[in-house]
Amino acid sequence: MTVKLSSSNLARLPAKVAGPKYDRSALKAGIVHFGVGNFHRSHQAVYLDDLFGTGEGHDWALIGAGVFEGEKIGRSKLEEQDWLTTVVEQDQGHMSARVTGAMIDFLTPGDAAAIIERLADPAIKIVSLTITEGGYFIDPASGKFNPAHPDIVADAQPGAVPKTVFGIILAGLLRRRADGIVPFTVMSCDNIPHNGHVTSDGVIGLARLIDEDLAKWVEDKVAFPNGMVDRITPATSDRERKILADDFGLEDNWPVFCEPFRQWVLEDHFTAGRPALEKVGVQFVKDVSPYELMKIRILNGGHATIAYPAGLMDIHFVHEGMQEPLVRAFLSKLEHDEIIPTVPPVPNTDLEDYYQLIERRFSNPKIGDTIRRLCLDGSNRQPKFIIPTIADRLKAGQGVAGLALESALWCRYCFGTTDSGAVIEPNDPSWDRMQATARAAKDDPKAWLAMEDIYGDVGRSPVFAEAFTHALKVLWAHGARETLTRYLAGKL
């Protein structure tokens, strides 16, 4: 017999499921969050739930928001269970479930007027974002905000109803300026280098298209703290729903399964106050850059390293990829030879210990994270997680054989078939372009590097072009397994 998740059933949750340790009816909204997906619900919402459980911060509850039609599906699932989420932590020999209640409402995605109205409310002091790497209108090659993007241009038109996150945020700030209300802080929780700066570039860049004085006001008055976030959180499928029902006796439309590990390092820069998250494990620092670079290069770069060879070998789960000796050894060699040496010292952190932690996390057999998820959206992720490392190695005159092989593996994956001939379904917002370019690169590898918006100067480097061309030709001639074997033996 299972219990259906809802507010009315919190008092009779199954014995193995923990519930909120506070009165949800007493919560008041202080944060509007764009992008209510699995990562947000396993990370920011959990930290807030922990804080509320201490008896503090009850005026910092979450309200969900979004701009895409597809987000209405998630909203509907959560509405049926009064915005509650079950978070299941899993690793080898450990599994625990808790119901979190930090979210108290979810505005209809795309309803700009209702969202702007809420953003104008003085009670809202933070607007946070997990809109993924592709949501920031960044030109991949320059790493800068692209003010010429059609969606941004549309939002800048006089009288336009904003359709982008930045447009809606700016409209909310405009209302607060007109009403004499202190502006809210805009807090990115996405895996992007200098995510606060990137967000401010977007909001200020859009403001500049509308009015230079408005842009200057945002620049002077609005805080955009940088932050590093980390918790491996796969997508939810029927597999996770069944485990929750079978093992815990709880029915949840949209549970979140994740690893026990979590980290949040945040700059203490807020315009209108913040919750006391340091009491529940958030690290507040003056400069998040060292932590951020470590995580993006070693963890996110590591994910990219194992993703494409495992994908070409028809490996389904991430932990299964780590059980394949060639994939695990490729990760270790590339990290130690080329990635970790580009990471500057991090306060109170041993980089080798951090790498060993990453290896253990990737090997977690319980998470159910998929290789396909790691392969997703390479056109946005590679310019952030891999290509800057290549650029640093080239500038220093250091070898790039392993990074060139990683790039060649990505190219080979985008061709659209595995080494066994199985079809790879579209797995990138720009899949048609990536596939067409990968097919051209089979005979002319430099066609791949000619994607200026992705590779920039790296694509013009003769040293990198030579290493990439060689790696791709070996991949096509011998497949991923033999190519990795040669690389690991120093014979590529």
Side-chain angles (χ1 to χ4, degrees), residues 160-413:
V161 176
K163 290 187 167 55
T164 69
V165 170
F166 292 161
I168 291 174
I169 286 173
L170 192 58
L173 288 169
L174 263 169
R175 282 278 303 276
R176 290 173 86 106
R177 184 175 74 157
D179 295 345
I181 300 166
V182 175
F184 46 72
T185 295
V186 184
M187 181 177 73
S188 172
C189 300
D190 274 301
N191 273 321
I192 293 177
H194 316 300
N195 56 13
H197 296 321
V198 169
T199 309
S200 70
D201 286 349
V203 177
I204 294 167
L206 174 57
R208 191 162 283 125
L209 296 177
I210 298 168
D211 176 59
E212 190 62 45
D213 287 344
L214 173 61
K216 185 76 170 65
W217 179 82
V218 174
E219 196 170 7
D220 291 346
K221 302 293 185 184
V222 182
F224 296 86
N226 292 299
M228 183 268 260
V229 296
D230 191 6
R231 190 173 216 183
I232 296 173
T233 310
T236 302
S237 68
D238 287 340
R239 170 186 179 269
E240 285 74 33
R241 279 183 277 270
K242 186 173 188 308
I243 290 171
L244 182 62
D246 291 350
D247 292 8
F248 290 95
L250 187 63
E251 287 181 54
D252 184 326
N253 292 323
W254 195 17
V256 174
F257 279 54
C258 56
E259 63 175 340
F261 178 88
R262 56 182 152 117
Q263 187 175 19
W264 193 359
V265 185
L266 192 55
E267 291 172 358
D268 202 351
H269 177 43
F270 293 78
T271 31
R274 62 165 177 83
L277 291 166
E278 69 276 10
K279 296 185 177 180
V280 288
V282 176
Q283 296 166 259
F284 284 96
V285 298
K286 285 187 178 175
D287 181 14
V288 80
S289 301
Y291 301 90
E292 182 180 72
L293 189 67
M294 171 184 73
K295 190 256 176 174
I296 281 170
R297 295 208 172 175
I298 299 176
L299 185 143
N300 296 113
H303 264 158
T305 299
I306 64 175
Y308 298 109
L312 291 171
M313 293 180 193
D314 300 293
I315 296 171
H316 183 72
F317 286 114
V318 175
H319 70 273
E320 292 171 340
M322 292 298 287
Q323 289 165 1
E324 165 53 59
L326 288 171
V327 173
R328 192 182 191 97
F330 179 46
L331 173 67
S332 180
K333 182 171 171 59
L334 180 53
E335 289 272 16
H336 288 105
D337 289 0
E338 297 180 26
I339 295 176
I340 294 173
T342 71
V343 178
V346 179
N348 306 311
T349 305
D350 180 285
L351 293 182
E352 179 57 28
D353 288 349
Y354 184 77
Y355 170 74
Q356 294 296 333
L357 172 64
I358 296 302
E359 205 174 67
R360 290 194 300 275
R361 291 170 64 196
F362 288 3
S363 302
N364 185 341
K366 293 290 188 181
I367 287 296
D369 201 6
T370 64
I371 291 296
R372 181 173 170 81
R373 185 186 79 86
L374 301 195
C375 292
L376 172 69
D377 201 12
S379 63
N380 274 304
R381 292 179 174 182
Q382 291 277 316
K384 298 173 184 67
F385 302 154
I386 291 290
I387 293 168
T389 306
I390 301 171
D392 282 357
R393 298 282 298 176
L394 290 170
K395 273 183 212 157
Q398 295 167 327
V400 290
L403 288 161
L405 174 54
E406 188 280 338
S407 219
L409 286 157
W410 174 42
C411 174
R412 171 66 187 85
Y413 177 90

